[in-house]
Amino acid sequence: MPLVPMRQILDEAAKGGYGVGAFNVNNMEQIQAIMEAARETQSPVIIQASRGALKYSKMIYLRNLIQAACEECPEIPLAMHLDHGNSPETCKQAIELGFTSVMMDGSLGTDGKTPNSYEQNVAVTREVVELAHAYGVTVEGELGCLGGIEDGHGAGIAADDTDHLTDPAQAEDFVAQTGLDALAVAIGTSHGAYKSMRKDPKTGQMLPPALAMDRIHEIHKRMPNCHMVMHGSSSVPKHLVDIINQYGGKMPGTYGIPIEQIQDGIKHGVRKINVDTDSRLAMTGAVRKVLFETPEKFDPRDWLKPARDAAYQVYKDRMIAFGQAGHAKDYKPITLDDMKKVYGKK
Ligand code: G3H
Ligand code: 13P
Ligand code: ZN
C-alpha cells in the first residue's frame, strides 16, 4: 500500500470520532517501534519529521525509512508528514521527496522564533495549500503560537500568556482564506517536558498547565468539520521521568498534558495529536538503565533495543488512548492522485 494522504486519515478519524497520534521520529528505532505498535493495535498512524529531525538525519534518510515501514506493513494506513515546515521551499522539498502531508507553520517567521502577522500567516499558508494540493498533498497550518522554546523553535511565549492563543473567530476566517486541511491551535501547550510553571500556592506542588480547552470547544462549534491539531501533547508520564532520574538524570519539575484533556479535545474536533517528548523520555530512561546496570556493555544494540521497546510501549498506550486502535481496516486507502482529483473539484 502506498503512503496515504494525511487528509484521508483525518477524515476517517472524524467519521469514527477518534484521534490519531502523530509521532515525531529521528531514527529507525522510533519508526520500527511506531509500526510495531500500529500493527499490534491495528491503528492508522502519522509519522512526522521536524526540521530538527531533518537536520539530524537528513530528509532523504527519514523518507526512505518511512517508506520501508510502509512496505513492511502494507495493511496500516500511514501518512508521512513534515512537522513545522518554516517556508514554502522546505514544504516543496518534502513534497517532491514523497511526503504525503506538510505543515506550513506560518505562525512564526522563517527563523522559527518571531511571530508573523496574521496577514503574513494567511499568505504563506495559502501559497503552500495551492502548491501542495496540486500534488494531492495535505496541508496543516497553525494559528496562534505555542508556548516555550524547544531546540530553538518557538516564540518563547510564557505559559500564562493568553494573547497568542488561537482566536476562534479568526480561526474561521483563517480556514476559509487558506483552504487548509488541518488547523493547529494554540491553547496553552508548549513543546518539551516542562509544560507548566503553575504551582499550588499552599503545597508548592506543580499543577497541570492551564489549557484553554474552551477555545477548542468554540472552534468546533463554529466549524464542526475542521480537523484540529494539538501540538505539544506529550503527557510526560512521571514513571518515565522517574527512571531517568533514578539512573543519573536530572529532570526536576517536569509536567505534561493529562490524557483526559486530550480525550476532551478529541470529543471536540481534535484529530491529530503531536507526541515527541514522551518517546524521547522513554528511550533515554531505557538507555540510562542499561548502561548503569551493565557498564561493561558497548554494543549499541544492547541499549538501542531496550530504547525501541520502551518507545513502543508509549506509542501503543497513546494509540489506545486516542482511539485510533482497531481502525486500520475501516477504509480503503486512497492515493495522492485520488486526492488530487478531490481537491480539483473544490
Ligand atoms: O516540533 C516539535 C518537536 O518536538 C520537534 O523537536 O526540533 O527537537 O526535533 P525537534
Ligand atoms: P511534545 O514536545 O509535547 O511531544 O510535542 C511535540 C510536537 O508538538 C511536535 O510538533
Ligand atoms: Zn509542534
Side-chain angles (χ1 to χ4, degrees):
M1 181 198 298
L3 288 161
V4 176
M6 188 172 81
R7 176 68 196 240
Q8 187 191 23
I9 291 181
L10 302 183
D11 284 347
E12 292 293 335
K15 273 190 231 161
Y18 57 90
V20 180
F23 302 111
N24 285 75
V25 297
N26 292 274
N27 56 45
M28 181 186 75
E29 285 73 16
Q30 288 174 310
I31 295 169
Q32 289 177 333
I34 293 168
M35 295 317 288
E36 197 186 334
R39 231 179 192 170
E40 180 151 335
T41 60
Q42 285 297 298
S43 300
V45 72
I46 300 160
I47 297 187
Q48 60 187 11
S50 69
R51 279 184 297 122
L54 299 176
K55 209 157 74 187
Y56 173 76
S57 313
K58 288 200 184 155
M59 206 183 265
I60 191 151
Y61 282 84
L62 289 179
R63 189 279 302 259
N64 284 350
L65 285 168
I66 297 168
Q67 191 62 48
C70 175
E71 284 170 32
E72 206 214 356
C73 305
E75 76 285 12
I76 300 297
L78 167 63
M80 175 163 64
H81 176 74
L82 171 72
D83 190 28
H84 293 287
N86 63 328
S87 68
E89 292 69 39
T90 317
C91 294
K92 189 159 186 277
Q93 199 191 346
I95 292 167
E96 285 170 348
L97 269 177
F99 280 62
T100 58
S101 180
V102 293
M103 175 183 191
M104 177 60 236
D105 184 355
S107 69
L108 301 175
T110 45
D111 63 358
K113 288 187 176 70
T114 320
N116 262 342
S117 70
Y118 178 64
E119 290 71 25
Q120 284 169 319
N121 192 358
V122 168
V124 75
T125 307
R126 191 165 50 202
E127 183 184 338
V128 171
V129 168
E130 278 163 20
L131 168 80
H133 283 188
Y135 292 84
V137 168
T138 309
V139 179
E140 174 183 337
E142 177 165 323
L143 183 64
C145 294
L146 258 67
I149 300 183
E150 182 72 359
D151 270 10
H153 181 96
I157 289 161
D160 56 356
D161 178 324
T162 53
D163 290 352
H164 289 86
L165 299 184
T166 310
D167 172 83
Q170 199 176 49
E172 219 174 331
D173 183 69
F174 188 69
V175 171
Q177 286 213 49
T178 58
L180 51 65
D181 302 282
L183 175 70
V185 290
I187 55 158
T189 63
S190 49
H191 292 136
Y194 302 90
K195 299 187 195 297
S196 179
M197 304 293 146
R198 296 199 315 142
K199 279 193 181 156
D200 184 321
K202 283 194 194 120
T203 62
Q205 293 271 64
M206 293 294 288
L207 293 169
L211 297 191
M213 295 307 295
D214 54 321
R215 306 229 175 188
I216 285 186
H217 301 167
E218 175 65 18
I219 294 170
H220 187 53
K221 222 188 281 167
R222 285 169 181 261
M223 296 183 284
N225 297 323
C226 172
H227 304 317
M228 277 180 272
V229 183
M230 261 176 83
H231 281 248
S233 292
S234 278
S235 297
V236 191
K238 188 176 172 310
H239 70 274
L240 294 181
V241 178
D242 284 349
I243 295 175
I244 292 177
N245 289 336
Q246 186 183 344
Y247 295 101
K250 277 201 184 76
M251 294 191 67
T254 56
Y255 217 105
I257 306 299
I259 295 281
E260 298 70 38
Q261 287 198 308
I262 298 171
Q263 288 169 334
D264 177 59
I266 293 169
K267 278 197 203 117
H268 295 90
V270 170
R271 300 293 160 229
K272 174 174 182 275
I273 302 110
N274 285 13
V275 174
D276 184 348
T277 297
D278 285 349
S279 140
R280 296 177 178 196
L281 294 172
M283 294 178 88
T284 298
V287 172
R288 279 191 174 279
K289 183 168 189 297
V290 175
L291 296 179
F292 182 87
E293 286 178 345
T294 48
E296 72 283 6
K297 289 201 165 157
F298 63 93
D299 182 340
R301 291 171 296 189
D302 288 334
W303 41 270
L304 282 170
K305 189 176 179 307
R308 183 172 58 190
D309 293 346
Y312 153 82
Q313 194 56 52
V314 165
Y315 301 134
K316 185 177 163 188
D317 291 349
R318 296 299 172 276
M319 286 171 187
I320 293 167
F322 300 160
Q324 72 211 81
H327 290 287
K329 294 212 176 87
D330 287 1
Y331 50 95
K332 189 174 168 306
I334 60 170
T335 63
L336 288 183
D337 275 341
D338 297 326
M339 202 63 225
K340 213 156 54 175
K341 287 180 206 139
V342 176
Y343 291 133
K345 284 191 198 131
K346 281 189 182 161

